[in-house]
Amino acid sequence: MRTALAYAVSAALVAGTALGLAPAAHAADSAAETAGSLRFVDITGDGGTVLKANVVTPAGADGTTRFPVIVLPTSWAVPQIEYLAQAKRLADSGYVVVSYNSRGFWQSGGEIETAGPKDIADASRVIDWALANTPADPAEVGMAGVSYGAGISLLTAAHDKRVKAVAALSGWADLIESIYSGRTQHLQAAALLGGAGYLTGRPGPELQQVLDDFLSSDLDKEDEMIAWGRERSAATHLDAINANRPAIMLGNAWGDTIFPPNQFASFYEKLSGPKRLEFRPGDHATAEATGLLGLPNDTWTSAHRWFDHYLKGADNGIDREQPVQLKPRSDAGYEGYPDWKSVNANQRRFALTGSEHLWANVDSGADGGVVMLSNLLDQFFKAPPTASIPLLPRAFAGVWQSERYGTAQRVRGTARLHTTVTPTAESGTFVAYLYDVGPLGIGKLISNAPYTFHGRAPGKAFSVDLDLFSTAYDVPAGHRLALVVDTVDPLYIEHNPTGAQLTFSSPAADPSYVSVPLRTE
């Protein structure tokens, strides 16, 4: 029932988008007949699979001059017209651009492999085709993409030494840490991806089985599922990427409910080649969305500058800027840091004193919001999920609050919860939330993260360290921070048996606390 419900919900969420894109794709096909620099082509991928693609070349290209080439795999469930606006701009500035529909989606052949080996082989075949059929320079190959296209681009950079530069936007470097962080299934994210795959493509047997095992909480298949996800994670292939040394730009949104920012930040720190990390307000792919419509967009501007420097040799200064660029969720401008460690350098703790005893299986009203919606509202209207902290039912929610701050507190980076948990059952789930609480007790969500345990001895305490999802949020003067824990959130699958209870305590020998990273300047 859980699997069926998840697919039904996700189908409803994506149906309007998927159906709306189909007429647009048809219109683009018609327009191609009159666009001299735009061609719609078939490219033979791995095993003979036909990939539907489009090619945009610089105006006046006559075959006597070679141009840098950028390959753009499409996002999950999005047709090949996705990047036309950006492809045109890149071509106008001297790039050959090849965008293709990933196998298993829309008109491309094959089945959805979820960035598996066949997808990576496809990307290399597209590069082969571009070098053989366009005025592309084999020494200046770049890849970029949003979401699914970002993941495929990073993985291709590990397996194909020709890839010299990458812009991975709203993507993943660690698939398991993205949708199974805290050993907890991210229900809405997985259901949305699964439903969109069924609506717009052809999931292969392996993906169908993984989705069923994941959404049905089949722990007997957990090791297999994790191995499947690791193979499809650039973090697993880090040594190969560092050996190839492509210039990698990573961009993501603070509130990405499909690929949260923590896993990108961790991956960034381990890269040894040229690199850049940018985080902005928003949800999954919303930071890049206006650029896909041809409107001004900071993310795509940075990606163009990245390619201009590392593929065309332009001295535009991007290599001399602070490589970590963060835009807070307030109206403040960008902040530069030398590395991700510097973002988290100044930690301030507030103690979680006393003991909180919770009954499980009941949603207290503290929630992380709705996938693809709540953080979009925060991005454009500064309206994150809220909760009345004084009115949260204490039988189902544990609440701790800091003192009121006399000055604004600029939260930057990854807050960490350290606590001690005593369960009444061997399995369980809780979700931690960090709120900005105003004078009237209304809490605005700053961050959250889930945590699931299995195989614990009932009645025996154990310690937990949980990283909340990274963010950049300004807490106004006169407000306080609140840490809330409960056991149910619609974003996640919970594993609390009926009637289970959780006790959160702070032993004298191991006090509980929240460590919050603050910007001091």
Side-chain angles (χ1 to χ4, degrees):
M1 288 181 63
R2 176 180 284 157
T3 302
L5 176 61
Y7 286 147
V9 170
S10 60
L13 286 169
V14 303
T17 300
L19 293 175
L21 286 169
H26 178 73
D29 285 333
S30 299
E33 297 175 2
T34 59
S37 62
L38 170 64
R39 291 185 292 145
F40 284 81
V41 300
D42 290 347
I43 297 177
T44 302
D46 185 61
T49 297
V50 174
L51 306 173
K52 296 294 183 177
N54 59 70
V55 184
V56 186
T57 54
D62 57 8
T64 62
T65 302
R66 292 284 179 178
F67 300 92
V69 59
I70 297 177
V71 173
L72 301 168
T74 54
S75 301
W76 186 273
V78 181
Q80 59 166 307
I81 63 168
E82 175 183 14
Y83 301 113
L84 282 183
Q86 289 301 320
K88 178 64 166 58
R89 290 190 175 186
L90 286 165
D92 287 346
S93 61
Y95 292 91
V96 172
V97 185
V98 182
S99 175
Y100 70 97
N101 243 125
S102 304
R103 68 165 54 223
F105 285 106
W106 293 87
Q107 295 174 316
S108 283
E111 297 175 325
I112 301 173
E113 297 286 333
T114 321
K118 292 181 181 180
D119 288 305
I120 310 312
D122 283 346
S124 289
R125 300 292 184 274
V126 173
I127 295 172
D128 293 341
W129 185 94
L131 297 180
N133 295 277
T134 74
D137 186 343
E140 305 296 345
V141 177
M143 289 192 69
V146 176
S147 186
Y148 194 44
I152 290 175
S153 295
L154 286 173
L155 286 162
T156 304
H159 292 86
D160 194 323
K161 295 181 179 180
R162 295 174 296 181
V163 179
K164 189 175 179 180
V166 173
L169 312 176
S170 287
W172 79 92
D174 190 324
L175 192 56
I176 299 302
E177 283 302 309
S178 294
I179 61 174
Y180 196 51
S181 68
R183 206 179 177 185
T184 307
Q185 296 100 320
H186 293 211
L187 172 62
Q188 291 185 19
L192 180 62
L193 292 172
Y198 276 97
L199 276 172
T200 64
R202 299 166 300 281
E206 188 177 35
L207 174 57
Q208 294 182 47
Q209 186 62 56
V210 169
L211 281 170
D212 285 343
D213 294 341
F214 184 84
L215 293 172
S216 63
S217 304
D218 189 345
L219 288 178
D220 291 337
K221 299 293 185 67
E222 184 180 36
D223 290 342
E224 294 177 25
M225 179 196 70
I226 290 175
W228 180 87
R230 294 289 183 227
E231 181 184 21
R232 290 158 170 78
S233 299
T236 303
H237 307 279
L238 182 67
D239 289 345
I241 292 175
N242 284 337
N244 293 342
R245 291 186 62 81
I248 294 180
M249 171 186 155
L250 305 171
N252 206 351
W254 293 118
D256 195 320
T257 44
I258 296 182
F259 303 130
N262 301 43
Q263 45 92 30
F264 248 14
S266 176
F267 178 70
Y268 169 84
E269 284 290 90
K270 298 171 186 175
L271 291 170
S272 61
K275 57 184 179 178
R276 184 178 177 90
L277 178 67
E278 299 185 353
F279 286 145
R280 298 176 176 83
D283 206 312
H284 183 64
T286 64
E288 301 84 24
T290 55
L292 294 175
L293 299 174
L295 301 174
N297 181 274
D298 289 354
T299 305
W300 284 105
T301 296
S302 290
H304 286 233
R305 294 179 64 222
W306 191 252
F307 287 128
D308 285 349
H309 180 74
Y310 286 102
L311 294 183
K312 297 170 68 176
D315 186 13
N316 56 18
I318 197 167
D319 58 318
R320 297 188 294 275
E321 296 171 358
Q322 296 275 41
V324 175
Q325 293 287 321
L326 310 182
K327 190 176 191 305
R329 289 160 54 189
S330 62
D331 291 324
Y334 286 89
E335 302 169 351
Y337 298 82
D339 50 37
W340 182 249
K341 292 179 181 178
S342 300
V343 178
N344 292 280
N346 181 46
Q347 298 281 334
R348 180 172 180 176
R349 294 183 178 182
F350 77 83
L352 308 181
T353 57
S355 179
E356 295 281 353
H357 183 82
L358 310 184
W359 290 87
N361 310 118
V362 176
D363 190 341
S364 71
D367 289 324
V370 177
V371 66
M372 295 295 296
L373 176 61
S374 297
N375 292 313
L376 182 68
L377 294 175
D378 183 36
Q379 177 183 357
F380 290 106
F381 302 107
K382 306 297 183 288
T386 61
S388 176
I389 304 304
L391 297 181
L392 290 175
R394 294 309 200 264
F396 310 117
V399 179
W400 298 263
Q401 297 191 76
S402 71
E403 77 278 13
R404 293 191 186 277
Y405 297 111
T407 59
Q409 304 294 297
R410 295 186 290 176
V411 180
R412 301 291 186 271
T414 310
R416 168 170 285 196
L417 165 65
H418 175 78
T419 189
T420 295
V421 181
T422 305
T424 61
E426 66 174 4
S427 294
T429 298
F430 69 86
V431 184
Y433 308 89
L434 186 65
Y435 284 99
D436 159 25
V437 184
L440 298 179
I442 301 300
K444 294 183 177 181
L445 186 64
I446 299 175
S447 184
N448 77 98
Y451 184 88
T452 294
F453 59 88
H454 297 288
R456 292 290 180 176
K460 185 174 181 180
F462 62 94
S463 63
V464 171
D465 287 294
L466 176 63
D467 286 345
L468 276 62
F469 299 135
S470 302
T471 193
Y473 183 97
D474 295 331
V475 179
H479 287 212
R480 65 178 73 196
L481 291 172
L483 190 283
V484 176
V485 293
D486 74 359
T487 62
V488 176
D489 190 311
L491 283 173
Y492 313 112
I493 291 178
E494 53 95 3
H495 295 262
N496 298 295
T498 301
Q501 302 166 51
L502 298 176
T503 299
F504 295 83
S505 58
S506 182
D510 186 19
S512 296
Y513 61 84
V514 174
S515 181
V516 181
L518 300 175
R519 182 176 173 92
T520 57
E521 298 176 5

